[in-house]
């Protein structure tokens, strides 16, 4: 009996470049619209309260008036009460926003955080050098779909500013021992010490200039608010 011709196996659908564009089209467009609605358009229209910005704004107001942003320590802490526990630099930097009022200051800070997130993505792509536009699209889609990013935007948290400085650190690290990357890391630690372990990476990677610049920048940035 004649043998039936055999056909090569059909490649998986994701091996088709045109088909892969359906993923960002079907998932990315609705997700981007949802992110823009909840973290940009929605706050402008609904004027909600932002979790962290309330007590950060109070601390900035206290610093501007010459008071102690940590005055709550003397009276004791009540569980559930929102108080300022960050290093003073973050509240000190927000002093220019005090004149806007709490609501407008929170919206202005939200714009700054959005720009910080975009700046991080730009530096990330410059460091990793993606070779395909699809990698860029999928990276942005994963970023805006990451729940902590959404939560940080909705809460007006300093974490996204720290993330932007981390992008500077990454861009410097892949280029070698660049002092400006260490300085960015030092400022990030002065804002909120989220990444102490990165200092060990600088030690293991023999980034001496980055490590010295990080220590100097952290000390100088921490001294900016003054002795108060």
């Amino acid at each position: 009996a004649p043998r039936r011709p055999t056909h090569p196996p059909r490649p998986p659908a994701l091996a088709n470049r045109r088909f892969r564009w359906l993923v960002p089209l079907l998932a990315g467009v609705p997700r981007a619209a949802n992110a823009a609605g909840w973290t940009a358009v929605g706050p402008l229209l609904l004027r909600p309260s932002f979790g962290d910005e309330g007590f950060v704004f109070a601390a900035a107001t206290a610093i501007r008036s010459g008071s102690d942003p940590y005055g709550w320590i003397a009276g004791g802490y009540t569980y559930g009460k929102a108080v300022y526990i960050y290093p003073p630099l973050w509240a000190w930097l927000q002093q220019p926003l005090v004149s806007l009022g709490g609501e407008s200051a929170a919206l202005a800070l939200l714009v700054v955080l959005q720009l910080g997130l975009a700046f991080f993505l730009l530096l990330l792509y410059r460091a990793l050098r993606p070779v395909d536009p699809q990698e860029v699209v999928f990276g942005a889609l994963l970023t805006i779909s990451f729940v902590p990013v959404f939560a940080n935007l909705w809460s007006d948290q300093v974490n996204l500013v720290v993330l932007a400085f981390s992008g500077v650190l990454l861009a410097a690290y892949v280029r070698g021992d660049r002092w400006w990357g260490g300085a960015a890391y030092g400022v990030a630690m002065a804002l909120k010490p989220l990444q102490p372990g990165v200092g060990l990476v600088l030690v293991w990677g023999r980034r001496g200039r980055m490590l010295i610049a990080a220590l100097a920048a952290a000390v100088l940035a921490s001294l900016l608010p003054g002795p108060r």
Side-chain angles (χ1 to χ4, degrees):
R3 300 178 60 182
R4 300 179 60 183
T6 58
H7 299 281
R10 179 178 296 180
L14 289 178
N16 188 315
R17 179 177 176 81
R18 293 182 178 179
F19 180 80
R20 286 201 305 269
W21 277 114
L22 286 177
V23 177
L25 181 63
L26 297 179
V29 173
R31 187 65 191 91
N34 179 71
W38 280 103
T39 62
V41 180
L44 291 175
L45 297 178
L46 302 177
R47 302 298 180 96
S49 60
F50 294 89
D52 276 22
E53 182 55 18
F55 57 81
V56 176
F57 183 83
T61 304
I63 293 176
R64 187 171 181 178
S65 63
S67 303
D68 184 4
Y70 305 103
W72 57 269
I73 297 178
Y77 175 70
T78 303
Y79 180 77
K81 181 181 178 181
V83 293
Y84 186 76
I85 58 174
Y86 300 145
L89 180 61
W90 182 231
W92 181 81
L93 289 173
Q94 292 195 40
Q95 290 181 91
L97 300 179
V98 171
S99 59
L100 299 178
E103 186 178 88
S104 297
L107 293 175
L109 183 59
L110 178 62
V111 174
V112 172
L113 297 182
Q114 297 275 18
L115 293 175
L117 180 60
F119 184 60
F120 166 75
L121 286 175
L122 175 63
L123 293 174
L124 177 67
Y125 291 143
R126 287 179 64 89
L128 300 182
R129 298 181 180 181
V131 297
D132 194 310
Q134 289 186 345
E135 296 177 356
V136 177
V137 173
F138 284 123
L141 178 59
L142 289 173
T143 301
I144 64 175
S145 301
F146 191 45
V147 174
V149 171
F150 173 85
N152 279 275
L153 286 171
W154 194 250
S155 301
D156 259 359
Q157 289 194 11
V158 65
N159 300 347
L160 293 179
V161 178
V162 174
L163 182 66
F165 281 107
S166 300
V168 178
L169 171 64
L170 176 62
Y173 190 91
V174 298
R175 295 186 181 187
D177 194 6
R178 299 293 190 268
W179 67 267
W180 45 271
Y185 172 59
V187 174
M189 289 293 290
L191 285 170
K192 189 176 182 181
L194 287 174
Q195 304 167 320
V198 175
L200 296 178
V201 176
L202 298 182
V203 174
W204 291 332
R206 298 181 180 180
R207 301 300 201 269
R209 284 183 292 181
M210 293 181 70
L211 189 60
I212 294 174
L215 294 173
V219 172
L220 292 175
S222 299
L223 293 176
L224 281 176
R228 293 176 300 176

